[in-house]
Amino acid sequence: MAGEIYIGLMTGTSADSLDCAAVEFSDNELNIIGLKNYDIPSNLKEEISENTRSKELNETLIKDLDLRLGEFFSDRVEKFITSLSLKKEKIEAIGSHGQTIKHEPNSIPPFSLQIGNPQLISNQLGIKTIANFRDDDIAKGGQGAPLSPIFHKEVFAIENKKRVIINIGGITNVSLLGGAKLIGFDTGPGNCLLDIWTKKNKMGNYDNEGSWAKLGTVDQDLLDIMMKDNYFSLEPPKSTGPDYFNLSWLQDCLMKLKREIDPRNTQATLAELTASSLSNSLKRLKIVNENKYVCGGGVHNKFLMSRISFLLGGKCYSTDKLGLDPDYIEAICFAWLAYKRVNNVKFNMSAITGSNEKVFLGKVYLPSR
Ligand SMILES: Nc1ncnc2c1ncn2[C@@H]1O[C@H](COP(=O)(O)OP(=O)(O)O)[C@@H](O)[C@H]1O
Ligand SMILES: [Mg+2]
């Protein structure tokens, strides 16, 4: 297949690593050339999480971090390209999602801030770079998120069959394919609170396979307190982020409990929160018997997956079963979005994000030399 090669970059809300995908597109066919992930250095990770947590944006700090992340992305993409024995001139463009620091589609003015300076990436590598995918959608009254449902539709939809794609990253989002219209929204936390609680209790960066949560018991009172959060009863379109579901959100819930709780029970309850908010959202839309496929890091949390399958009353599969690696769907999605942007394709996102006219997804940054 002699098509155009694009590179997609994703550092999700978990800021666990930089996922890179090199994808060749021709006549809307997609061929994966390479997939790789690179650890984000711990100092960068900490600064990202500090800036995500803080209520106020410190512009000087953010500007500095924006450039350093841009340097980091450029360096790893260079390595990625070399590892695939590709020539830079062969790459049409890079689609770089950037690291989300704040996602505030409902504030005045609304905004979503991703960092990892795209002009710097474009200049360093001499490759056209597409970034700030959410801005135009927000400018047209949309939530700017989630974007992946249009990609899920592109690669996973089949005629006359309903399918649900569940992406469990820091936040969980779902795409409902095969209905009268494409539906996609964030159901609530995915791994973000699980990660925070695991780190806080010095049990590692994440709860490997959910083995720590498995040692606990769900605390129904705490779960009830958490599930009362207004986000869960909002109708879609809706989107959220780890700047909302974070440690202070969790601590507020624990305060309302007004009694001690074993940290393992808190962890089990957080897993149940991810599973129940997801299953409630699907049941409200009368999604019960459709086939369900999971992608994102949450697919590796066996305990969480068993709770989700239990609550949904049937097994959920990994997107591996549909031929795409669950850990790289988002990176592949941003390669595809870059491909669409370079080819000047606009999208009608109204059913997903609520925006009121067709929008370009992504801004184009041309190399300065
Ligand atoms: N083996 C595992 N066991 C449990 N959780 C895991 C495992 N591997 C990955 N995860 C979870 O997946 C998260 C990363 O998922 P990812 O889809 O990359 O999220 P994001 O898009 O937010 O970066 C990790 O932070 C962790 O919570
Ligand atoms: Mg990630």
Side-chain angles (χ1 to χ4, degrees):
M1 182 167 98
E4 298 173 359
I5 300 176
Y6 287 77
I7 288 181
L9 305 181
M10 184 69 189
T11 62
T13 51
S14 306
D16 55 326
S17 63
L18 169 67
D19 303 328
C20 305
V23 190
E24 186 176 20
F25 297 97
S26 70
D27 294 333
N28 284 322
E29 255 183 57
L30 168 165
N31 174 35
I32 309 288
I33 295 180
L35 302 170
K36 213 172 175 73
N37 84 312
Y38 295 94
D39 264 353
I40 300 179
S42 53
N43 61 327
L44 277 179
K45 243 186 231 184
E46 264 158 43
E47 286 177 62
I48 290 166
S49 111
E50 254 168 51
N51 280 289
T52 310
R53 269 201 313 266
S54 78
K55 291 223 156 50
E56 301 292 324
L57 286 176
N58 181 329
E59 272 187 42
T60 318
L61 282 183
I62 299 264
K63 269 191 186 147
D64 175 60
L65 193 54
D66 176 50
L67 292 172
R68 284 193 290 135
L69 258 187
E71 294 274 2
F72 165 73
F73 291 167
S74 310
D75 177 78
R76 296 312 187 270
V77 172
E78 180 106 45
K79 291 192 167 75
F80 180 52
I81 293 171
T82 310
S83 76
L84 296 172
S85 309
L86 283 171
K87 289 212 160 48
K88 280 192 222 160
E89 309 81 80
K90 292 276 177 211
I91 292 156
E92 206 66 39
I94 294 168
S96 175
H97 174 268
Q99 180 64 50
T100 299
I101 296 293
K102 287 272 178 278
H103 180 69
E104 304 264 356
N106 302 318
S107 71
I108 303 171
F111 71 101
S112 186
L113 174 64
Q114 280 77 37
I115 61 169
N117 198 291
Q119 188 61 60
L120 187 148
I121 301 174
S122 177
N123 293 349
Q124 296 275 52
L125 297 168
I127 303 173
K128 191 187 296 169
T129 299
I130 320 298
N132 293 315
F133 288 88
R134 305 183 190 273
D135 286 7
D136 286 2
D137 186 76
I138 290 181
K140 295 289 186 285
Q143 291 278 307
L147 302 180
S148 52
I150 50 173
F151 177 67
H152 295 159
K153 182 179 174 196
E154 173 82 8
V155 289
F156 295 134
I158 45 170
E159 250 179 86
N160 303 321
K161 196 155 185 179
K162 288 193 178 167
R163 270 181 174 172
V164 184
I165 309 296
I166 302 166
N167 175 31
I168 310 176
I171 295 293
T172 301
N173 68 277
V174 292
S175 304
L176 316 178
L177 312 177
K181 60 176 187 182
L182 175 64
I183 296 176
F185 60 95
D186 292 345
T187 61
N191 300 301
C192 59
L193 297 171
L194 292 165
D195 284 358
I196 286 169
W197 194 240
T198 308
K199 280 182 208 153
K200 176 120 180 92
N201 287 276
K202 307 209 166 15
M203 298 298 291
N205 282 331
Y206 59 86
D207 184 7
N208 193 17
E209 300 191 347
S211 54
W212 190 45
K214 204 175 168 186
L215 299 176
T217 317
V218 172
D219 186 308
Q220 193 57 45
D221 295 335
L222 180 60
L223 184 64
D224 290 345
I225 291 168
M226 290 172 169
M227 288 299 292
K228 278 207 184 94
D229 189 283
N230 187 35
Y231 185 78
F232 301 118
S233 49
L234 289 176
E235 291 296 326
K238 60 176 179 175
S239 64
T240 186
D243 43 329
Y244 183 73
F245 288 109
N246 55 19
L247 185 60
S248 61
W249 185 89
L250 172 57
Q251 282 169 335
D252 271 0
C253 295
L254 287 169
M255 282 237 294
K256 286 182 193 151
L257 185 64
K258 294 193 181 114
R259 60 171 159 80
E260 290 293 305
I261 169 171
D262 185 314
R264 293 171 298 186
N265 294 349
T266 302
Q267 186 73 354
T269 309
L270 288 173
E272 198 70 7
L273 174 69
T274 293
S276 344
S277 50
L278 165 65
S279 88
N280 289 355
S281 297
L282 294 181
K283 284 179 184 163
R284 265 212 297 206
L285 291 165
K286 312 240 175 326
I287 308 283
V288 183
N289 296 320
E290 287 78 359
N291 283 334
K292 301 171 190 81
Y293 299 90
V294 182
C295 56
V299 78
H300 304 294
N301 186 326
K302 285 190 185 154
F303 179 69
L304 177 64
M305 291 301 294
S306 72
R307 291 307 304 156
I308 291 174
S309 293
F310 175 79
L311 292 175
L312 289 174
K315 190 166 167 43
C316 296
Y317 301 97
S318 155
T319 55
D320 255 338
K321 210 170 149 71
L322 300 176
L324 282 185
D325 186 331
D327 289 320
Y328 289 95
I329 302 250
E330 297 235 292
I332 300 166
C333 168
F334 283 91
W336 179 77
L337 285 171
Y339 164 64
K340 292 290 170 185
R341 182 62 191 88
V342 167
N343 287 285
N344 291 318
V345 177
K346 279 189 170 181
F347 289 94
N348 178 357
M349 301 295 289
S350 59
I352 300 164
T353 64
S355 54
N356 49 34
E357 55 184 270
K358 278 186 160 189
V359 289
F360 281 126
L361 296 175
K363 291 197 169 61
V364 183
Y365 296 82
L366 299 174
S368 60
R369 56 185 155 89

